[in-house]
Amino acid sequence: MRVLLIGSGGREHALAWKIAASPVLTKLYAAPGNPGIGRDAELVKLDIADHAAVAAFCAEKKIDLVVVGPEGPLVAGIADDLRAAGIRVFGPSRAAARLEGSKGFTKDLCAKYDIPTAAYGRFGDLASARVHVQNMGAPIVIKADGLAAGKGVTVAMTLPEALAALDACFDGSFGQAGAEVVVEEFLVGEEASFFCLCDGVTALPFGTAQDHKRVGDGDTGPNTGGMGAYSPAPVMTQVMIDRTMREIVEPTMRGMAETGAPFSGVLFAGLIITDKGPQLIEYNTRFGDPECQVLMMRLKDDLLVLLNASVDGQLAHTSVRWRDEAALTVVMAARGYPGTPEKGSVIRGLEEAAGDGVEIFHAGTAINSGALVANGGRVLNVTALGRTVGEAQKKAYAALDRIDWPQGFCRRDIGWQAVAREQAGA
Ligand code: AMP
Ligand code: GLY
């Protein structure tokens, strides 16, 4: 099977690594990819925003399946345009990707199908949003409606913070994404990421993870795309998974089919487990980054076979097996992230650091004059398997400490909640 993978981050490196291990694969291309992905795939210089060019490449290279990693191309309708050209695609249509692309759309779906989520209001102008926030009081959560690279959400603990966040949305800080604002009730509980593979009708549970969104140790500082993750998430017991399927995912699948936008691809539910049970915080319509990295480490089955089952509507007859081990990934970021990262510093020692159940996935890297250099905010994902989260954590940090990259930084406490649980239970 000939496959084209779209994307260039750590998530896509993990997908490329796993797809490359499939006996069904004959050729893997990646566009645009990165130097790490280049070890598993042939990199192609394609403008992925030019869907006609991607379709022409697929025809020329006789591509059997396109796997779309990031949300941007999905929201822009790449899956629709490729399917219209007769190409098989793993990933949702533009209409189905609204589950991620519009928070307001998702909140309305939750209201219609009685899916547990924080109470909310949608506002198109500053004045009415201010009145609502003043009535509700703090703590309260302010979200730009559209895609804002994980930076459009403010969990405001005080009223002035909430009002400042409203000002930022409506003064154009998030461009069009902030033209509408969702104001939500503040929920208390432990967060978890829950994944399903979907084929339009069936959703197949596809693992759990916990992510660390804040840049600093102890979950402090600004939000990021994610500084590390581990899988499985201990809070997602079988009972909680069953409730999430029944109360959240299945009604969503039904609702999307009924609105004429059946969902296929990866459905990633961001949850808060409250004392009432699982509540949906948000949907993403693709794998998490860096959650994908830990899922791929634990997946026993052939990813390519599973992606094909999703595309062919065969998930009702499919099962998934996972390794018993836990996996944990630590993100190494370039100084300055999540603000403007410093680019161009040289990274050495990756070969010596990896191996023995440790994989180093590339995110924002590039080759400059033959040297591997930092080329983005999140740069490397040092990922390890272990019998416990604690063991995976030790292995990941031991490998990370062998990497020679003085300009990089990481959190030192990825997995702390699970490790504390393991120690308390031991
Ligand atoms: P989101 O981009 O929607 O995932 O939000 C980013 C982060 O904000 C989440 O991971 C949560 O930590 C927090 N958050 C979002 N919505 C709520 C809510 N209603 N209550 C409490 N925290 C929230
Ligand atoms: N790590 C969170 C995300 O991919 O949205």
Side-chain angles (χ1 to χ4, degrees):
M1 174 160 248
R2 300 168 63 79
V3 178
L4 170 65
L5 172 67
I6 304 275
S8 63
R11 164 182 50 212
E12 287 75 24
H13 189 186
L15 292 172
W17 173 75
K18 194 68 189 162
I19 291 171
S22 168
V24 190
L25 183 77
T26 49
K27 177 78 189 177
L28 178 60
Y29 294 96
N34 67 36
I37 296 172
R39 291 204 308 257
D40 296 309
E42 181 177 332
L43 304 186
V44 281
K45 284 200 177 63
L46 261 177
D47 176 5
I48 57 177
D50 182 348
H51 300 172
V54 177
F57 175 85
C58 292
E60 185 200 324
K61 300 292 185 190
K62 302 197 166 37
I63 297 297
D64 301 303
L65 178 70
V66 177
V67 179
V68 185
E71 63 275 19
L74 294 169
V75 172
I78 195 169
D80 310 68
D81 292 338
L82 294 180
R83 281 185 193 122
I87 299 157
R88 295 170 72 249
V89 185
F90 177 79
S93 67
R94 180 192 345 236
R98 276 180 302 172
L99 281 177
E100 171 158 7
S102 168
K103 293 188 189 296
F105 171 83
T106 299
K107 294 301 278 189
D108 289 352
L109 185 91
C110 289
K112 186 163 170 203
Y113 288 88
D114 208 16
I115 294 168
T117 187
Y120 74 106
R122 295 176 73 167
F123 301 93
D125 68 281
L126 179 61
S128 57
R130 280 185 72 96
V131 170
H132 177 77
V133 165
Q134 269 156 341
N135 287 338
M136 301 295 291
I140 195 160
V141 182
I142 313 290
K143 302 185 175 183
D145 180 74
L147 293 182
K151 292 169 190 158
V153 175
T154 302
V155 178
M157 299 315 285
T158 66
L159 199 55
E161 243 182 295
L163 296 174
L166 286 181
D167 288 340
C169 284
F170 286 109
D171 78 8
S173 298
F174 306 111
Q176 201 46 39
E180 188 180 313
V181 165
V182 174
V183 177
E184 279 186 16
E185 163 201 10
F186 172 72
L187 296 174
V188 180
E190 190 168 342
E191 286 184 49
S193 302
F194 178 65
F195 299 86
C196 290
L197 288 185
C198 304
D199 65 7
V201 177
T202 301
L204 178 69
F206 199 66
T208 64
Q210 246 155 339
D211 168 9
H212 297 62
K213 287 222 166 74
R214 302 298 190 104
V215 75
D217 283 10
D219 295 324
T220 55
N223 258 320
T224 69
M227 294 299 291
Y230 56 94
S231 172
V235 68
M236 291 305 286
T237 57
Q238 193 57 48
V239 170
M240 215 45 88
I241 290 175
D242 293 345
R243 281 192 65 179
T244 304
M245 288 303 290
R246 200 168 56 241
E247 297 171 21
I248 298 178
V249 173
E250 281 160 11
T252 299
M253 293 297 285
R254 202 163 55 243
M256 293 304 285
E258 284 173 11
T259 53
F263 188 87
S264 69
V266 178
L267 187 62
F268 161 4
L271 305 172
I272 290 191
I273 310 304
T274 68
D275 51 13
K276 285 188 288 186
Q279 302 253 343
L280 181 71
I281 315 176
E282 63 160 0
Y283 273 131
N284 297 304
T285 59
R286 35 83 192 170
F287 281 112
D289 188 346
E291 289 93 328
C292 183
Q293 289 80 316
V294 285
L295 292 180
M296 292 305 117
M297 291 288 276
R298 293 189 53 236
L299 179 62
K300 262 193 191 166
D301 288 307
D302 183 334
L303 177 65
L304 200 44
V305 169
L306 290 164
L307 299 182
N308 275 304
S310 154
V311 173
D312 295 337
Q314 293 298 316
L315 290 178
H317 317 292
T318 306
S319 59
V320 189
R321 290 168 310 156
W322 302 96
R323 288 168 168 272
D324 292 332
E325 291 109 311
L328 181 140
T329 188
V330 182
V331 170
M332 286 192 89
R335 267 202 304 247
Y337 181 75
T340 309
E342 288 171 24
K343 289 191 181 176
S345 52
V346 175
I347 302 163
R348 295 188 185 87
L350 294 191
E351 279 72 28
E352 297 76 13
D356 187 28
V358 176
E359 293 292 331
I360 300 175
F361 297 115
H362 291 221
T365 63
I367 302 285
N368 190 355
S369 310
L372 185 71
V373 299
N375 191 41
R378 295 187 294 171
V379 175
L380 299 170
N381 311 138
V382 185
T383 315
L385 283 170
R387 276 168 302 171
T388 59
V389 175
E391 189 182 289
Q393 184 195 53
K394 277 204 190 73
K395 282 169 67 177
Y397 281 111
L400 185 145
D401 288 333
R402 290 196 287 272
I403 297 173
D404 176 11
W405 181 33
Q407 293 84 355
F409 75 93
C410 66
R411 277 181 61 163
R412 299 297 315 187
D413 64 346
I414 299 302
W416 66 268
Q417 276 169 315
V419 173
R421 257 205 188 94
E422 286 171 358
Q423 282 167 353

